[in-house]
Amino acid sequence: MRKFTAGMLAAVMASAAALSGCSAVGGGGKTELNFWYGWTGPEAEALEKLIKEFNDTHDGIKVKGLSQSDYQKQLTAITGGNPPDIASQFGQNVASWGVKGAMIPLDEYIKKDQVDLADFIPSALSTSQYEGKTYAIPVAMHFSMLYYNKDLLKEAGFDGPPKTIAELKTYAEKLSVVQEGGRLDRLGLWPGADAYTFTQVFGGKFWDPDKKEVTPDDPGFKQAILLSKELWDKYGTENLDRFSASLGKYQSSQNPFFSGKYAMALDGEWLPTFIKQYAPGLNYGIAPIPYSEDKPELKNAGSIATSVFYIPKGAKHPDQSWTFLKWLTEKQQMVKFTAALGNLPTRLSSLDDKTYDSVPGFKEYTEYAKSPNLKSFPTLPFMNEYMDEITKKYNDILRGKVGVDEGLKQIKDKIQPLVGK
């Protein structure tokens, strides 16, 4: 187990004092809780409304929210002994922070208050758990679906989106427009597509819990890499780099999908809200991720990521912090929060809530969220290092800097030694 060292503690004491999230008993005898969250702008405003609602309806506790998007400052404050009372985090950090002792296990609170964990989507909940302990509660989740430009597909002779991987390849090639001399004018699908999503399509895995072994060489992950590599090699790195440099900013009217530079795209549940804002005239559809003809049982596959709430180690009032965390992740509050953000709820009982009827694109996502083939990356203490190494080698493989098998071996050689540390 990793532990904080005396050197680490000394190094952060000065800054921790300035970042103190220390709670106190405020006016009227109320326990004051400091809540750090990573959202900003309108999203932070939505959370502040819920904080006010809690304060107005709960005697004895007053929550003060602070938008703090630098998550490293949370760890600095925890290490220095002055943490906030409750904070938000990404699911991918839970195992690492949990085994470091930075997060308080919540299992006793969950048992005492009989919180029904069965109401949470299993893959979303798994991002908050490690080795039998629950370190956080997931409040929102994210996964990709296939977006397609209806006008461009119709123009190419297609009457609907691709349903299988073979069809996806056919669509991607036919929808791409290559000018004389080989310069790209449009891509049917960006060839560096989400390897995590397609790993689930091919039934791949990243971790063998029985052998305690990372498995980047798993056949399903390799198939996902080869799918992108095949598309990438068709156009070449130099051509794709030149095309990519001409594309507009993601959150603007020049988003390549909005402007017709991509005929199809894999993207998250927030995209329809951006389309409504930046490209209201776009004639688009949202479809399931195409499935592999060899694994039809894995239809509606995908890769889930989450946002979570947790109680930091050293929180001055953990019981009151739990009261707020539990309330914030109950169905009613979760629906309000995720609908305001355009994020997906993690509770199964929330998926059919009519509040989401007014959120663009949510009908397709909430239905898809019921699929048993949505999985998350395995929750591991070295999860970030593992994913970072995948990103590096994936890029090297696509660009021909290393072969597929050698690249996957290099991932394993670098990450396997981290197991058990």
Coordinates of all heavy atoms in Angstrom, one line a residue, residues 196-226:
Y196 N -11.1 2.5 -26.4 CA -11.7 2.0 -25.2 C -13.1 1.5 -25.6 O -13.5 0.4 -25.2 CB -11.8 3.0 -24.1 CG -10.4 3.4 -23.6 CD1 -9.9 4.7 -23.9 CD2 -9.6 2.5 -22.9 CE1 -8.6 5.1 -23.4 CE2 -8.3 2.9 -22.4 CZ -7.9 4.2 -22.7 OH -6.6 4.5 -22.3
T197 N -13.9 2.3 -26.3 CA -15.2 1.9 -26.7 C -15.2 0.6 -27.6 O -15.9 -0.3 -27.4 CB -15.9 3.0 -27.5 OG1 -16.1 4.1 -26.6 CG2 -17.2 2.6 -28.1
F198 N -14.3 0.6 -28.6 CA -14.2 -0.5 -29.5 C -13.6 -1.8 -28.8 O -13.9 -2.9 -29.3 CB -13.5 -0.2 -30.8 CG -14.3 0.7 -31.7 CD1 -14.0 2.0 -31.9 CD2 -15.5 0.2 -32.3 CE1 -14.8 2.8 -32.8 CE2 -16.3 0.9 -33.1 CZ -15.9 2.3 -33.4
T199 N -12.9 -1.6 -27.8 CA -12.4 -2.8 -27.0 C -13.6 -3.5 -26.5 O -13.6 -4.8 -26.5 CB -11.4 -2.4 -25.9 OG1 -10.2 -1.8 -26.5 CG2 -11.0 -3.6 -25.1
Q200 N -14.6 -2.8 -26.0 CA -15.8 -3.4 -25.4 C -16.6 -4.1 -26.5 O -17.2 -5.1 -26.3 CB -16.6 -2.4 -24.7 CG -15.9 -1.7 -23.6 CD -15.3 -2.6 -22.5 OE1 -15.7 -3.7 -22.3 NE2 -14.2 -2.1 -21.9
V201 N -16.6 -3.5 -27.7 CA -17.3 -4.1 -28.9 C -16.7 -5.4 -29.2 O -17.5 -6.4 -29.5 CB -17.2 -3.1 -30.1 CG1 -17.6 -3.8 -31.4 CG2 -18.0 -1.8 -29.9
F202 N -15.4 -5.6 -29.1 CA -14.7 -6.8 -29.5 C -14.6 -7.7 -28.3 O -13.9 -8.8 -28.4 CB -13.4 -6.5 -30.1 CG -13.5 -5.9 -31.4 CD1 -12.9 -4.6 -31.6 CD2 -14.1 -6.5 -32.5 CE1 -13.0 -4.0 -32.9 CE2 -14.2 -5.9 -33.8 CZ -13.6 -4.6 -33.9
G203 N -15.1 -7.4 -27.1 CA -15.1 -8.3 -26.0 C -13.7 -8.3 -25.3 O -13.3 -9.3 -24.7
G204 N -13.0 -7.2 -25.4 CA -11.6 -7.2 -24.9 C -11.6 -6.9 -23.4 O -12.6 -6.5 -22.8
K205 N -10.4 -7.0 -22.8 CA -10.2 -6.7 -21.4 C -8.8 -6.1 -21.2 O -7.9 -6.3 -22.1 CB -10.4 -7.9 -20.5 CG -9.4 -9.0 -20.8 CD -9.7 -10.2 -19.9 CE -8.6 -11.3 -20.1 NZ -8.8 -12.5 -19.3
F206 N -8.7 -5.4 -20.2 CA -7.4 -4.7 -19.9 C -6.7 -5.3 -18.6 O -5.6 -4.9 -18.3 CB -7.6 -3.2 -19.6 CG -8.1 -2.5 -20.9 CD1 -9.5 -2.3 -21.0 CD2 -7.3 -2.0 -21.8 CE1 -10.0 -1.6 -22.1 CE2 -7.8 -1.4 -23.0 CZ -9.1 -1.2 -23.1
W207 N -7.4 -6.2 -18.0 CA -6.9 -6.7 -16.7 C -7.4 -8.1 -16.4 O -8.5 -8.4 -16.6 CB -7.3 -5.7 -15.6 CG -7.1 -6.1 -14.1 CD1 -8.0 -6.5 -13.2 CD2 -5.8 -6.2 -13.5 NE1 -7.4 -6.8 -12.0 CE2 -6.0 -6.6 -12.1 CE3 -4.5 -6.0 -13.9 CZ2 -5.0 -6.8 -11.2 CZ3 -3.4 -6.1 -13.0 CH2 -3.7 -6.5 -11.6
D208 N -6.5 -8.9 -15.9 CA -6.9 -10.3 -15.5 C -6.8 -10.3 -14.0 O -5.6 -10.4 -13.4 CB -5.9 -11.3 -16.1 CG -6.4 -12.7 -15.8 OD1 -6.9 -13.0 -14.7 OD2 -6.1 -13.6 -16.7
P209 N -7.9 -10.2 -13.3 CA -7.8 -10.2 -11.8 C -7.3 -11.4 -11.1 O -6.8 -11.4 -10.0 CB -9.3 -9.9 -11.4 CG -10.1 -10.4 -12.6 CD -9.3 -10.2 -13.8
D210 N -7.5 -12.6 -11.8 CA -7.0 -13.8 -11.2 C -5.5 -13.9 -11.3 O -4.8 -14.3 -10.3 CB -7.6 -15.0 -12.0 CG -9.1 -15.1 -11.8 OD1 -9.6 -14.7 -10.7 OD2 -9.8 -15.5 -12.7
K211 N -4.9 -13.5 -12.4 CA -3.5 -13.5 -12.5 C -2.8 -12.3 -12.0 O -1.6 -12.2 -12.0 CB -3.1 -13.8 -14.0 CG -3.5 -15.1 -14.6 CD -3.1 -15.2 -16.0 CE -3.5 -16.6 -16.6 NZ -3.1 -16.7 -18.0
K212 N -3.6 -11.3 -11.7 CA -3.0 -9.9 -11.3 C -2.1 -9.4 -12.4 O -1.0 -9.1 -12.2 CB -2.3 -10.0 -10.0 CG -3.1 -10.5 -8.8 CD -4.2 -9.5 -8.4 CE -5.0 -9.9 -7.2 NZ -6.0 -9.0 -6.9
E213 N -2.7 -9.4 -13.6 CA -1.9 -9.1 -14.8 C -2.6 -8.1 -15.7 O -3.8 -8.3 -16.0 CB -1.6 -10.4 -15.5 CG -0.7 -10.3 -16.7 CD -0.4 -11.7 -17.3 OE1 -1.2 -12.2 -18.1 OE2 0.7 -12.2 -17.0
V214 N -1.9 -7.1 -16.2 CA -2.4 -6.2 -17.2 C -2.4 -6.9 -18.5 O -1.5 -7.7 -18.8 CB -1.7 -4.9 -17.3 CG1 -1.8 -4.1 -16.0 CG2 -0.2 -5.1 -17.6
T215 N -3.5 -6.7 -19.3 CA -3.6 -7.4 -20.6 C -3.8 -6.5 -21.8 O -4.8 -6.7 -22.5 CB -4.8 -8.4 -20.5 OG1 -6.0 -7.6 -20.2 CG2 -4.6 -9.4 -19.4
P216 N -2.9 -5.6 -22.1 CA -3.0 -4.8 -23.3 C -2.9 -5.6 -24.5 O -3.2 -5.2 -25.6 CB -1.9 -3.8 -23.1 CG -0.9 -4.4 -22.3 CD -1.7 -5.3 -21.3
D217 N -2.3 -6.8 -24.4 CA -2.2 -7.7 -25.5 C -3.4 -8.6 -25.8 O -3.4 -9.5 -26.6 CB -0.9 -8.6 -25.3 CG -0.9 -9.3 -24.0 OD1 -1.7 -9.0 -23.1 OD2 0.0 -10.1 -23.8
D218 N -4.5 -8.3 -25.0 CA -5.7 -9.1 -25.2 C -6.2 -8.9 -26.6 O -6.2 -7.9 -27.2 CB -6.8 -8.5 -24.2 CG -8.1 -9.2 -24.4 OD1 -8.3 -10.3 -23.7 OD2 -9.0 -8.7 -25.1
P219 N -6.7 -10.0 -27.2 CA -7.2 -10.0 -28.6 C -8.2 -8.9 -28.9 O -8.2 -8.3 -30.0 CB -7.7 -11.4 -28.9 CG -7.0 -12.3 -27.9 CD -6.8 -11.4 -26.7
G220 N -9.1 -8.7 -28.0 CA -10.2 -7.7 -28.2 C -9.6 -6.3 -28.3 O -10.1 -5.5 -29.1
F221 N -8.7 -5.9 -27.4 CA -8.0 -4.6 -27.5 C -7.2 -4.5 -28.8 O -7.2 -3.5 -29.4 CB -7.1 -4.4 -26.3 CG -6.5 -3.1 -26.2 CD1 -7.2 -1.9 -26.4 CD2 -5.1 -3.0 -26.0 CE1 -6.5 -0.7 -26.4 CE2 -4.4 -1.7 -26.0 CZ -5.2 -0.6 -26.2
K222 N -6.5 -5.6 -29.2 CA -5.8 -5.5 -30.4 C -6.7 -5.3 -31.6 O -6.3 -4.6 -32.5 CB -5.0 -6.9 -30.5 CG -4.1 -6.9 -31.8 CD -3.3 -8.2 -31.9 CE -2.4 -8.2 -33.1 NZ -1.6 -9.4 -33.2
Q223 N -7.8 -5.9 -31.6 CA -8.8 -5.7 -32.7 C -9.2 -4.2 -32.8 O -9.4 -3.7 -33.9 CB -10.0 -6.6 -32.5 CG -9.9 -8.0 -33.0 CD -11.2 -8.8 -32.9 OE1 -11.5 -9.3 -31.8 NE2 -11.9 -8.9 -34.0
A224 N -9.4 -3.6 -31.6 CA -9.8 -2.2 -31.6 C -8.7 -1.3 -32.2 O -9.0 -0.4 -32.9 CB -10.1 -1.8 -30.2
I225 N -7.5 -1.7 -31.8 CA -6.3 -0.9 -32.4 C -6.2 -1.1 -33.9 O -6.0 -0.2 -34.6 CB -5.0 -1.4 -31.7 CG1 -5.0 -1.1 -30.2 CG2 -3.8 -0.7 -32.4 CD1 -5.0 0.3 -29.8
L226 N -6.4 -2.4 -34.3 CA -6.3 -2.7 -35.8 C -7.4 -2.0 -36.6 O -7.2 -1.6 -37.7 CB -6.3 -4.2 -36.0 CG -5.1 -4.9 -35.5 CD1 -5.3 -6.4 -35.6 CD2 -3.9 -4.5 -36.4

